[in-house]
Amino acid sequence: MKRGAERGRFITFEGIDGAGKSTHIDAVAQAVQMRGVETVRTREPGGTPLGEALRELVLSQSMTRETETLLLFAARSEHLAKIIRPALSAGRWVLCDRFTDATYAYQAGGRQMDRERIAELERWVHPDLQPDLTILFDVAPEVAAGRVERRLDLARGADRFESESSGFFSAVRTMYLERAAKNPARFLIVDTGRAPEMVRTQLEQMIRQWNK
Ligand code: TMP
């Protein structure tokens, strides 16, 4: 960290596919910028050239859940070293679309990976860093599935996660909600079953007042 520079804040966005993350991250970014801080927008898996290449593999190639989990943490390690830690040290706020909560939710919740395996990788890759705030976009899996379907009709075929069953997404959601309940100071749960303008207003207010 630059001497005297305050560490930036680390904000992550989570939720099942179709929960409305992409619609609302822009509103949060604008509200953060209104506070006069520099921001870095990034995503997982991805965020670096290698991370984006790993993302492509994870979303398209068949692999075991162990391989999937290891590749996600490999991408994360690179992302932390090249983008997240340097930005935080320079006082920038990092807005990251998904982080390790997604691995607990998708790989432990959805794919039934042993949670302790994920905790081991977390301790290895970022023992000293957790998000300062995690915004969990929450909606019923049936509503989310409808949104994903409409999005896919317009653009492309489903990836390995989007083509999962509603049971998978219920398990992912349950794990997210469980993690939020265990870490109430870090998580903000936002109900995205409501009209987008209501969600946007709530997010803008929250970021204006948030003071960590
Ligand atoms: P995105 O479509 O929100 O960018 O996320 C890509 C997919 O990757 C999404 O379906 C969730 C999945 N994913 C995991 O399964 N585990 C993880 O740790 C991360 C970061 C994403």
Side-chain angles (χ1 to χ4, degrees):
M1 192 185 298
K2 270 192 282 175
R3 190 157 329 157
E6 196 191 347
R7 175 189 166 284
R9 301 292 179 264
F10 185 27
I11 302 181
T12 58
F13 303 90
E14 300 284 357
I16 60 175
D17 292 75
K21 250 180 334 104
S22 9
T23 315
H24 295 295
I25 293 180
D26 281 342
V28 175
Q30 280 169 21
V32 168
Q33 281 152 11
M34 296 282 280
R35 293 177 58 133
V37 288
E38 265 188 74
T39 58
V40 173
R41 283 272 295 272
T42 189
R43 69 171 180 180
E44 291 209 348
T48 64
L50 177 61
E52 291 293 329
L54 291 171
R55 174 189 179 92
E56 185 58 36
L57 292 174
V58 167
L59 295 189
S60 64
Q61 304 290 311
S62 154
M63 62 186 74
T64 66
R65 59 192 180 184
E66 286 77 13
T67 306
E68 184 175 281
T69 305
L70 289 165
L71 289 181
L72 287 161
F73 268 100
R76 185 162 297 141
S77 173
E78 193 71 7
H79 194 200
L80 281 159
K82 303 267 171 68
I83 306 286
I84 298 176
R85 290 186 196 281
L88 292 174
S89 294
R92 299 194 184 93
W93 286 32
V94 175
L95 308 182
C96 190
D97 184 345
R98 301 195 185 281
F99 193 60
T100 298
D101 292 303
T103 316
Y104 282 100
Y106 279 79
Q107 279 62 49
R111 302 248 194 264
Q112 310 276 290
M113 260 293 289
D114 179 357
R115 226 186 278 207
E116 185 44 38
R117 285 271 182 249
I118 297 170
E120 275 176 48
L121 291 170
E122 181 181 25
R123 282 195 293 274
W124 183 24
V125 171
H126 57 100
D128 52 343
L129 181 71
Q130 287 295 325
D132 298 299
L133 171 68
T134 298
I135 299 180
L136 173 58
F137 295 106
D138 184 53
V139 74
E142 312 80 66
V143 175
R147 289 179 185 161
V148 170
E149 223 164 89
R150 283 193 292 281
R151 193 164 75 196
L152 293 178
D153 284 349
L154 296 172
R156 53 179 174 82
D159 67 35
R160 285 180 59 241
F161 295 98
E162 289 163 338
S163 47
E164 283 292 345
S165 66
S166 63
F168 176 89
F169 286 108
S170 292
V172 173
R173 183 192 193 200
T174 301
M175 183 64 82
Y176 269 135
L177 291 172
E178 193 180 300
R179 289 183 65 72
K182 280 199 188 131
N183 302 279
R186 171 162 75 88
F187 273 87
L188 175 79
I189 303 177
V190 176
D191 170 7
T192 51
R194 297 169 298 160
E197 310 78 65
M198 286 176 70
V199 176
R200 190 186 171 102
T201 308
Q202 183 192 357
L203 285 169
E204 285 169 350
Q205 268 175 5
M206 196 278 305
I207 291 292
R208 263 201 306 275
Q209 289 158 4
W210 186 61
N211 204 11
K212 268 238 172 126

